[in-house]
Amino acid sequence: MEKRIWIYIREMFPLKVYLPYVTLLYFGLFFAVQALNQTSGLRITPVAITGWFTAFGILLLLRILDEFKDVDTDRTLFPKRSLPRGAVKYQDIKVLCGLIFIAICIINILNSQLLVPFGILLGYVWLSFNWFLLKKRISQNLILALVTHQPLALVLNLYVAATALFVISVQTLSLETVLAILAFFFPITAWETSRKIRAYGKETA
């Protein structure tokens, strides 16, 4: 099982890409929020490590959950991926998903001040996985899918901001913080939108 899980991670969530990506994304917003809300130096505490690991875990969790949402589509459009071609079993990624979920829950419980933003984040992940309880309507409409699912990145940014505010003992969400959260949100939304645009003749159903 370990070898198959590694095959999945190597192909679908390559660490050489996602480790620097999550690190830059997390600490970029983390330090920006600190800088906007205080005049003293920037700080890194164990809470920052908790936040970074949670952000990384959530992105991997979302990648895995998408596999279960898109089983039939992937078999048709992406037969060479590790799961459709049989190199990895769905039971393997169920185990990986469970381990990630337990790990991020434990570290956030140990930092109880983060439980509310973490709970909101997990709740949105659950809703997105379940198509906001409107699967038939949302799954067949790209605009509705974008409008309902893309704010997940915004909720993740709110969680990151919460970790930064906790480190500097600030309990209010300033306008500058909101603008920073949006500044880190819109480029990702633009990328998510543009990557779904197909070249002429290469459109899919």
Side-chain angles (χ1 to χ4, degrees):
M1 178 183 289
E2 292 83 359
K3 290 182 178 179
R4 292 194 299 270
I5 287 177
W6 179 242
I7 289 173
Y8 176 79
I9 292 175
R10 189 177 67 239
E11 294 186 13
M12 301 304 298
F13 201 82
L15 298 182
K16 65 181 180 180
V17 173
Y18 281 95
L19 280 175
Y21 169 71
V22 175
T23 300
L24 291 171
L25 183 66
Y26 177 83
F27 284 104
L29 181 55
F30 180 82
F31 287 136
V33 171
Q34 284 194 42
L36 290 168
N37 286 275
Q38 66 170 2
T39 56
S40 57
L42 303 178
R43 298 173 55 196
I44 294 181
T45 71
V47 171
I49 306 305
T50 295
W52 175 87
F53 184 81
T54 300
F56 182 82
I58 286 291
L59 290 181
L60 179 51
L61 200 64
L62 290 171
R63 173 65 266 175
I64 296 171
L65 292 177
D66 275 349
E67 304 291 356
F68 294 104
K69 288 175 68 177
D70 303 327
V71 173
D72 295 331
T73 302
D74 288 348
R75 285 173 179 165
T76 302
L77 299 179
F78 307 106
K80 294 183 180 181
R81 286 183 177 179
S82 56
L83 283 160
R85 75 171 189 267
V88 179
K89 300 178 180 179
Y90 282 92
Q91 183 60 34
D92 300 331
I93 60 172
K94 282 184 180 179
V95 172
L96 180 59
C97 186
L99 291 174
I100 296 166
F101 177 76
I102 291 171
I104 61 176
C105 283
I106 288 175
I107 62 173
N108 279 276
I109 289 172
L110 293 175
N111 292 276
S112 58
Q113 298 86 347
L114 300 175
L115 281 180
V116 172
F118 178 67
I120 294 172
L121 178 58
L122 273 189
Y124 209 99
V125 169
W126 182 85
L127 285 172
S128 68
F129 176 66
N130 289 281
W131 296 99
F132 293 84
L133 308 180
L134 295 168
K135 180 178 180 180
K136 186 175 181 180
R137 185 171 184 180
I138 295 176
S139 64
Q140 297 176 3
N141 188 308
L142 283 177
I143 300 299
L144 280 178
L146 177 69
V147 170
T148 55
H149 285 67
Q150 192 55 31
L152 183 52
L154 189 60
V155 177
L156 179 57
N157 284 356
L158 282 168
Y159 171 83
V160 175
T163 64
L165 292 174
F166 172 74
V167 167
I168 59 176
S169 300
V170 173
Q171 298 180 351
T172 57
L173 200 63
S174 66
L175 175 60
E176 291 82 1
T177 301
V178 173
L179 292 176
I181 290 170
L182 292 174
F184 276 76
F185 168 69
F186 285 120
I188 296 174
T189 302
W191 176 78
E192 279 289 347
T193 304
S194 64
R195 77 186 185 94
K196 290 180 171 62
I197 300 173
R198 309 294 185 186
Y200 179 75
K202 295 185 178 180
E203 301 94 335
T204 66

